[in-house]
Amino acid sequence: VTIVSVLTSMIILNVPLTLVTLVMVALMLSITMRRMMTSGSFFIKQQKDLGAVNGYIEEMMDGQKVVKVFCHEGEAKAEFRKLNESLRDSAYSANRIANTVMPINGAMGNISYVLCAVAGGALAAGGYLGLTIGTLVSFLTLNKSFNHPISQVSQQANVILMALAGAE
């Protein structure tokens, strides 16, 4: 509801600045989708690695006497380290990429704001399209209000991807 009402208000205030905002939002969504696809594959790998680690631990605990009798403690520890490092690497990669989505969207929202401010300032100074400084200030407020929910939805999409990877 917020996005639709803010978009409608932006169109009423100034169509060219609305187009600038929409282009920036499209770019923001494109970058977000690419980041989410990359992090999604790492979240799936993380869940597979977690299953391997848990399975190995359970297997070693159940066969603890056999491991001790045949002196395989060192080999069991080495295999565990290998599985655990794979889990650490996939978890690090998934979270590193997923945690960059919000700052990237914030930066893209700020760039959108600046572009609209510069373009709007030029339009207002030249008196083009009937844009005034007051209208520009109102539009810039709407620009922030439009970008913020989109950034929030993008961040929530990462949480959904992580949950879907866990369900797989």
Side-chain angles (χ1 to χ4, degrees):
V1 173
T2 301
I3 292 173
V4 172
S5 61
V6 169
L7 180 61
T8 303
S9 299
M10 289 169 62
I11 291 170
I12 291 169
L13 287 176
N14 193 284
V15 173
L17 292 180
T18 303
L19 292 176
V20 169
T21 301
L22 291 176
V23 167
M24 290 303 296
V25 166
L27 184 60
M28 180 189 312
L29 291 176
S30 170
I31 291 170
T32 298
M33 290 304 293
R34 281 186 282 176
R35 302 297 288 177
M36 285 174 32
M37 297 301 267
T38 304
S39 69
S41 64
F42 282 115
F43 279 126
I44 290 170
K45 183 171 179 355
Q46 175 187 355
Q47 290 303 314
K48 288 179 181 177
D49 290 345
L50 181 60
V53 167
N54 286 342
Y56 187 76
I57 290 170
E58 188 172 329
E59 186 179 316
M60 288 299 108
M61 293 305 289
D62 287 344
Q64 188 174 11
K65 289 181 182 176
V66 175
V67 170
K68 282 208 172 268
V69 167
F70 291 103
C71 299
H72 286 284
E73 292 97 343
E75 294 161 2
K77 284 180 184 178
E79 181 64 21
F80 174 77
R81 276 193 198 99
K82 179 180 162 191
L83 291 171
N84 198 39
E85 284 177 17
S86 180
L87 173 59
R88 182 197 65 210
D89 292 343
S90 60
Y92 172 77
S93 296
N95 288 304
R96 177 180 51 86
I97 293 168
N99 289 335
T100 62
V101 171
M102 195 67 158
I104 288 172
N105 284 343
M108 295 298 290
N110 290 338
I111 291 170
S112 173
Y113 184 87
V114 169
L115 288 175
C116 287
V118 170
L123 290 173
Y128 298 110
L129 303 172
L131 186 67
T132 65
I133 297 297
T135 305
L136 177 60
V137 169
S138 297
F139 186 89
L140 292 174
T141 302
L142 292 172
N143 178 285
K144 280 289 188 191
S145 297
F146 188 71
N147 286 320
H148 187 68
I150 292 172
S151 293
Q152 286 180 331
V153 168
S154 298
Q155 186 64 27
Q156 290 171 356
N158 259 327
V159 173
I160 292 168
L161 266 177
M162 186 171 32
L164 288 174
E168 191 171 290

